[in-house]
Amino acid sequence: MRYNWQHPDWPIFRYALAPLEEALFRFAEQTGQVTGLLTRVPDHLQLEATIDLMVAEAIKTSAIEGEYLSRPDVVSSVRNNLGLNPTPEAIRDKRAQGAGELMADARRTFADPLTAEKLFAWHTMLLRQERHLHLGAWRTHEEPMQVVSGALGKEKVHFEAPPSSLVPQEMERFIRWFNETAPGGRHEIKRAPVRSAITHLYFESIHPFEDGNGRIGRVLAEKALSQTLGRPVLLSLSRTIEADKASYYAALQKAQQSNEITPWLLYFVDVIVQAQRQTIALIDFVLAKSRFFDRFRSLLNERQRKVVKKMFDAGPEGFEGGMNARKYVSIAKTSKATATRDLQQLLAWGVLVQAGGGRSTHYHLPL
């Protein structure tokens, strides 16, 4: 099998825009909707939504790679790096620290031209705890860089990237392409989702680092979106991708076999549209959460506030499995009798609604 970089037309990507028109229209429509919503949202709630999305992106982009981060540590890292904690909070999970640092830096520097030095810095932020890796540098190993699956001895090769000897020149060409397709560039791509989709495919096809390529490639896709929109994009691509990883890998594998990439654009633009739809739901959720606490804050005791906040932290998707007495005991560090009494109060006040019965009784927020 020949891969995209082995074809004589590499890296000249061909695609048709006509099949994308509907998705691009939906994206533009949603972009206007997000902008309109944000004009009606107080600054502190805008910040809350931004942090929620940055945390979701950090957690889900790692989950795609089979790495699961501590959410509280990611939140602390994001807040530390945005300068929101007067005294920086201690972070135990160094992977979470690096992921939060990367999200904050990518957002802060979205408008800057791309450089190899910036990519090296991101690579170091993300993987500084991996002492065995050659950090902040292109890969140099002689063995093939392959994407494989299957048990040892029965591996299936899905893709093989260019050899390490070609990576410096390939990345020099990629960085030049990225900057020339930015707003005002010689070869500007005006449709933000199209530029984002090509950016991700192009970078993943080179696979320039020993590790971290997927995570950095998704950051680059969001940088491309942000630059072309002219503001830091408010969405999490990785949350959408992680919900159906099989489709992501299948679309990427197919796209890496040819430089005719219309099917890849159809897939990735749809991912962007879905992610933006989730952003709209999140902004609505943050507003509902604010109204909720304005209404009930004075009624709740410290235990109840802690549990309700934990339920809200789950986001618009809701607290998995609902709340029950056992979970309440664990979160509030209280007795079962107190947990049952607190839950009955919350139910009576309308803070929670009941579902199920008997041993299956659980509670949800009425949003």
Side-chain angles (χ1 to χ4, degrees):
M1 177 188 296
R2 292 173 64 185
Y3 300 109
N4 51 6
W5 59 272
Q6 294 173 315
H7 289 271
D9 57 347
W10 167 263
I12 301 172
F13 299 104
R14 305 185 310 279
Y15 52 88
L17 286 175
L20 300 168
E21 285 181 359
E22 184 178 344
L24 290 172
F25 175 78
R26 287 201 306 273
F27 172 79
E29 192 174 46
Q30 289 175 350
T31 299
Q33 192 174 349
V34 169
T35 301
L37 279 171
L38 290 176
T39 61
R40 300 196 295 273
V41 175
D43 289 347
H44 72 284
L45 294 182
Q46 286 190 38
L47 179 61
E48 181 178 341
T50 299
I51 292 171
D52 280 352
L53 286 164
M54 292 172 70
V55 169
E57 180 65 17
I59 291 173
K60 294 301 185 180
T61 196
S62 294
I64 292 169
E65 310 301 329
E67 190 174 89
Y68 300 95
L69 306 179
S70 160
R71 188 180 194 281
D73 280 345
V74 175
V75 173
S76 294
S77 179
V78 168
R79 292 185 62 85
N80 285 349
N81 283 284
L82 290 179
L84 299 176
N85 293 327
T87 302
E89 297 176 359
I91 300 169
R92 291 176 297 174
D93 184 346
K94 298 307 178 185
R95 299 171 306 165
Q97 179 180 344
E101 186 180 352
L102 172 56
M103 293 301 121
D105 186 77
R107 182 175 182 81
R108 184 169 51 248
T109 64
F110 81 93
D112 295 351
L114 185 63
T115 64
E117 290 71 26
K118 174 57 68 176
L119 290 171
F120 293 157
W122 286 352
H123 190 241
T124 303
M125 288 175 198
L126 187 63
L127 298 165
R128 63 165 60 94
Q129 78 286 348
E130 304 292 345
R131 301 297 184 186
H132 64 285
L133 293 178
H134 188 31
L135 297 179
W138 310 133
R139 56 180 163 90
T140 58
H141 52 73
E142 294 184 4
E143 62 271 21
M145 171 60 84
Q146 295 176 329
V147 178
V148 301
S149 66
L152 187 64
K154 297 182 179 179
E155 299 93 343
K156 178 181 179 181
V157 177
H158 299 281
F159 177 68
E160 183 174 315
S164 297
S165 61
L166 295 181
V167 168
Q169 67 189 58
E170 289 288 355
M171 285 307 297
E172 182 181 353
R173 184 160 56 175
F174 168 79
I175 291 168
R176 184 168 61 249
W177 172 88
F178 186 90
N179 292 327
E180 289 182 350
T181 57
R186 291 173 56 200
H187 305 294
E188 180 179 357
I189 297 177
K190 294 182 179 295
R191 295 170 176 84
V194 172
R195 180 168 178 249
S196 176
I198 299 174
T199 293
H200 187 62
L201 173 63
Y202 194 170
F203 182 83
E204 294 308 312
S205 297
I206 300 171
H207 237 65
F209 294 116
E210 288 184 39
D211 195 10
N213 294 290
R215 284 164 283 185
I216 292 174
R218 288 183 285 275
V219 170
L220 282 171
E222 293 195 5
K223 180 179 176 70
L225 273 175
S226 297
Q227 284 188 340
T228 306
L229 287 176
R231 61 168 173 77
V233 68
L234 196 62
L235 50 72
S236 170
L237 293 177
S238 294
R239 181 164 60 179
T240 306
I241 290 170
E242 199 271 338
D244 187 4
K245 289 189 289 187
S247 293
Y248 168 66
Y249 285 122
L252 191 57
Q253 181 183 353
K254 183 179 179 181
Q256 288 172 328
Q257 295 173 10
S258 165
N259 292 312
E260 206 299 314
I261 61 169
T262 303
W264 166 254
L265 296 186
L266 284 167
Y267 163 78
F268 204 83
V269 172
D270 186 61
V271 165
I272 294 170
V273 168
Q274 289 183 54
Q276 199 158 238
R277 189 181 304 131
Q278 290 173 345
T279 294
I280 292 167
L282 175 66
I283 295 171
D284 286 340
F285 175 80
V286 167
L287 284 169
K289 175 182 174 181
S290 177
R291 291 192 293 265
F292 185 94
F293 276 109
D294 286 345
R295 179 182 176 189
F296 292 113
R297 182 179 288 108
S298 62
L299 297 176
L300 306 181
N301 61 39
E302 185 178 348
R303 295 183 306 275
Q304 291 167 331
R305 279 195 296 272
K306 186 175 182 180
V307 169
V308 171
K309 182 179 182 302
K310 184 74 171 179
M311 295 179 74
F312 270 112
D313 284 346
E317 295 82 7
F319 190 74
E320 187 174 356
M323 182 56 61
N324 57 29
R326 177 179 55 80
K327 294 177 183 177
Y328 196 103
V329 167
S330 176
I331 295 167
K333 305 294 188 259
T334 190
S335 68
K336 185 175 181 182
T338 300
T340 300
R341 184 171 63 251
D342 279 357
L343 285 167
Q344 289 304 310
Q345 276 187 331
L346 293 172
L347 185 64
W349 291 331
V351 174
L352 298 178
V353 293
Q354 182 175 323
R359 292 185 177 180
S360 299
T361 298
H362 55 281
Y363 306 89
H364 298 281
L365 295 166
L367 299 177

